[in-house]
Amino acid sequence: MPDSPLSDSPYEVLGVPSDADAAALRLAYRRALRTAHPDTGGDTARFHAVQRAWELIGTPEARAAFDRGSRGGAPTPTREAWAPAAPKVRRDSRPLARSYGHPGGLSRERYLGLIREWAGRGVQLEDPYDPALVRGAPRDIRHVLADALAEEATARSLATLGIAYTVWHDVATDAAGPGQPPKLDHLVLGPTGLFAIQSEDWGGRVTLRRNELVGEALDGERPIRALAARAKAIGRAARVKPTALIVVVPDDHAEEPLEVGGSIRGTVVALVQRSRLASAVREGLPGSAHLGGTEVMEVRSRLQAVVRFA
């Protein structure tokens, strides 16, 4: 079960309250399993989610462990997965991509402001990442935290590209849609092109159709359109043109590891699973132009002259 602020708890997956007795829990599991089974017209992902939910709360011991916040007995509490990670000592000597900016920084600032406002004036929040607090917050607040985590995960993946690539995170832009932060999550430059990347976690599956993402979890959002506007604003200022627009999501939120659509004014559009992102950038997307060494240096100089951070 994905450890995301937007993911359903096992109780929500089974459709029972957290104080349901053992008999009600067992009945809900059997019903959910029957409904979700692929042989009866159900969905495989939903079927697996139901099975995983039962593993987490199906026995008194597992349920007690989950209710204590240990995520099914795992030694690392959820709170540690959601709070900012402490700097790690690198033991890998391979050179990383050159990175600038603070991935997820603005989203975390927005989350902290929103969660404190929601809790109310005068309320002291000892831990804004407490699982019970986060689970009780409105979905739009949890979405901001989920996005921060997604941006940080993408940054870790992009860092492995190597020294041939330059990555800018949280690039400021005035081309933001209503209610959206004024920034581009990631801008990546290397020999395989210039990539404008948005990291997302909508808490559900999405797919690419006619150069736009569709899915129930989107709630009317048009992510590719917004990403294209942000990329265009930065490209216009630097007098460069992105070769690809990528939205990266958790692996179980996209059916294919890499789904390439058409193009928007010559810029290729793609939906990528998080684990596939680094290889997709390193290989380049089908239909996108690669850049020569001199061209990469020129584009980098132009971007460095105009990039500002949110």
Side-chain angles (χ1 to χ4, degrees):
M1 188 165 296
D3 191 12
S4 165
L6 288 177
S7 61
D8 291 337
S9 73
Y11 295 106
E12 291 170 322
V13 171
L14 299 181
V16 295
S18 59
D19 59 354
D21 61 29
L25 190 66
R26 190 177 302 106
L27 179 61
Y29 167 65
R30 290 173 178 171
R31 287 176 175 172
L33 200 65
R34 185 167 56 250
T35 302
H37 200 289
D39 291 345
T40 58
D43 177 77
T44 302
R46 168 72 179 169
F47 181 68
H48 290 161
V50 170
Q51 291 179 308
R52 177 58 176 154
W54 184 251
E55 291 176 6
L56 291 173
I57 60 174
T59 65
E61 297 78 13
R63 185 176 184 180
F66 179 85
D67 289 344
R68 288 195 301 268
S70 65
R71 303 298 288 177
T76 303
T78 301
R79 187 268 171 200
E80 294 183 10
W82 293 349
K88 294 183 179 180
V89 178
R90 281 197 69 209
R91 292 181 171 83
D92 190 343
S93 60
R94 290 177 296 182
L96 300 178
R98 289 171 284 191
S99 300
Y100 304 93
H102 187 177
L106 182 59
S107 294
R108 282 199 180 270
E109 286 184 7
R110 291 182 65 219
Y111 167 73
L112 292 175
L114 290 169
I115 196 71
R116 286 171 178 142
E117 181 181 352
W118 173 72
R121 292 184 179 180
V123 176
Q124 289 293 112
L125 294 184
E126 295 183 3
D127 182 5
Y129 299 104
D130 176 76
L133 176 70
V134 175
R135 292 293 188 193
R139 191 181 190 281
D140 59 339
I141 296 179
R142 291 184 285 128
H143 189 188
V144 175
L145 177 57
D147 279 350
L149 296 167
E151 292 165 30
E152 292 163 358
T154 293
R156 291 191 292 270
S157 177
L158 294 175
T160 66
L161 289 172
I163 200 170
Y165 289 84
T166 304
V167 186
W168 295 269
H169 304 288
D170 270 12
V171 179
T173 172
D174 57 2
Q180 298 294 318
K183 56 120 177 176
L184 175 66
D185 291 350
H186 320 277
L187 191 62
V188 181
L189 173 66
T192 53
L194 176 61
F195 304 83
I197 300 176
Q198 178 175 338
S199 299
E200 273 290 357
D201 179 354
W202 285 287
R205 284 191 174 188
V206 295
T207 189
L208 190 59
R209 184 181 301 164
R210 296 180 180 177
N211 287 341
E212 187 53 271
L213 296 185
V214 295
E216 292 182 5
L218 291 174
D219 193 26
E221 287 187 51
R222 302 184 67 180
I224 298 294
R225 181 177 181 179
L227 177 58
R230 292 168 178 160
K232 181 180 178 180
I234 295 170
R236 183 169 55 238
R239 293 177 290 115
V240 299
K241 184 177 180 180
T243 56
L245 304 173
I246 295 177
V247 175
V248 54
V249 296
D251 286 9
D252 57 340
H253 290 179
E255 293 185 4
E256 301 292 336
L258 172 62
E259 189 176 356
V260 179
S263 64
I264 299 176
R265 297 179 180 177
T267 301
V268 176
V269 174
L271 173 65
V272 182
Q273 291 180 355
R274 184 178 296 156
S275 63
R276 179 72 168 83
L277 177 62
S279 60
V281 172
R282 194 177 290 114
E283 297 165 5
L285 299 182
S288 65
H290 288 211
L291 305 177
T294 302
E295 193 174 4
V296 169
M297 293 176 61
E298 182 179 348
V299 172
R300 183 186 298 120
S301 296
R302 291 183 179 181
L303 287 170
Q304 287 175 331
V306 302
V307 164
R308 300 293 181 269
F309 299 102

